[in-house]
Amino acid sequence: MGEISDGIERALLTRPVPTGASALRFLMRAEKGSTKKVARLLGVSQRTVQRWVTKKSGARRPPGPPHVRAIEEAVLARWQPQIRARRRAQAEAEGFVFHTRARFGFAAPASSSDDPRVRWITQYLPGEVARELFAARDAGAGEQQQMVILARALGHAYFRDGGHRAHGLHIAFSELEFADFSIG
């Protein structure tokens, strides 16, 4: 995932996602203790899952790196679904605050105040932007497409002051260092 997708995921959650051994315990609880269902979910044998969760110290084997990643993805897909849906609906209805550090400005003549440069920006963006961003993300849009959506929204809200000034200038938004979203 990219910075924008990661930022959106962090904003939708209220508690940290389980990692390590607690992630496997979460999957086991989610599948009602069935090692068979967890094995099918992760694409491994039932015996492998049994080795990961056994209480016997000599028989226990930790999951390898490729399996750890599969476990993390499976947990993330099942973590707080109702809270995610509620926070998404809230962002789409009320908007959100976008925090970023990136190269941002208008494509303007050199030495103008709007020349693209690295800026810290914290800006409220309306619910329409959230709807567009979520729709693009759901459709499989990449990081670049999501940056275009945010650049257009930030240009309108930050530089153009909601459409009151700086009409017709081209927005430059690149070199994204981080992206965080605050909902509600």
Side-chain angles (χ1 to χ4, degrees):
M1 280 197 213
E3 288 293 326
I4 295 171
S5 295
D6 290 346
I8 291 171
E9 281 300 318
R10 285 190 301 272
L12 292 177
L13 301 173
T14 58
R15 293 185 317 192
V17 179
T19 59
S22 61
L24 196 53
R25 282 193 299 272
F26 171 79
L27 280 181
M28 289 296 294
R29 273 194 314 275
E31 297 299 333
K32 299 179 179 24
S34 171
T35 55
K36 189 176 197 173
K37 289 180 183 177
V38 172
R40 190 175 321 119
L41 178 71
L42 299 174
V44 297
S45 70
Q46 181 178 1
R47 182 68 188 126
T48 300
V49 175
Q50 289 170 344
R51 284 188 198 105
W52 293 342
V53 299
T54 187
K55 303 260 190 257
K56 298 177 188 173
S57 61
R60 181 176 297 168
R61 302 274 190 272
H67 296 122
V68 168
R69 183 68 188 143
I71 291 168
E72 289 172 354
E73 288 174 2
V75 169
L76 185 60
R78 288 160 180 72
W79 188 247
Q80 296 186 324
Q82 293 173 336
I83 291 172
R84 281 181 185 200
R86 196 172 329 131
R87 290 182 60 94
R88 178 180 174 158
Q90 182 180 7
E92 290 176 346
E94 300 170 8
F96 60 92
V97 177
F98 181 54
H99 314 274
T100 189
R101 181 165 183 206
R103 183 164 301 278
F104 190 74
F106 286 117
S111 75
S112 81
S113 64
D114 293 331
D115 196 29
R117 64 180 184 268
V118 175
R119 301 173 191 249
W120 288 90
I121 296 177
T122 297
Q123 180 67 46
Y124 166 79
L125 296 174
E128 297 85 45
V129 176
R131 281 190 291 279
E132 188 178 357
L133 200 56
F134 283 123
R137 187 170 152 252
D138 292 346
E143 189 82 358
Q144 194 60 39
Q145 292 166 313
Q146 293 175 20
M147 279 182 71
V148 168
I149 294 167
L150 289 171
R152 187 173 52 247
L154 282 172
H156 181 73
Y158 183 79
F159 277 111
R160 293 187 184 117
D161 193 22
H164 298 305
R165 61 185 176 96
H167 303 285
L169 295 175
H170 179 69
I171 299 162
F173 184 49
S174 61
E175 299 175 32
L176 183 69
E177 291 182 19
F178 76 90
D180 278 329
F181 300 81
S182 298
I183 299 172

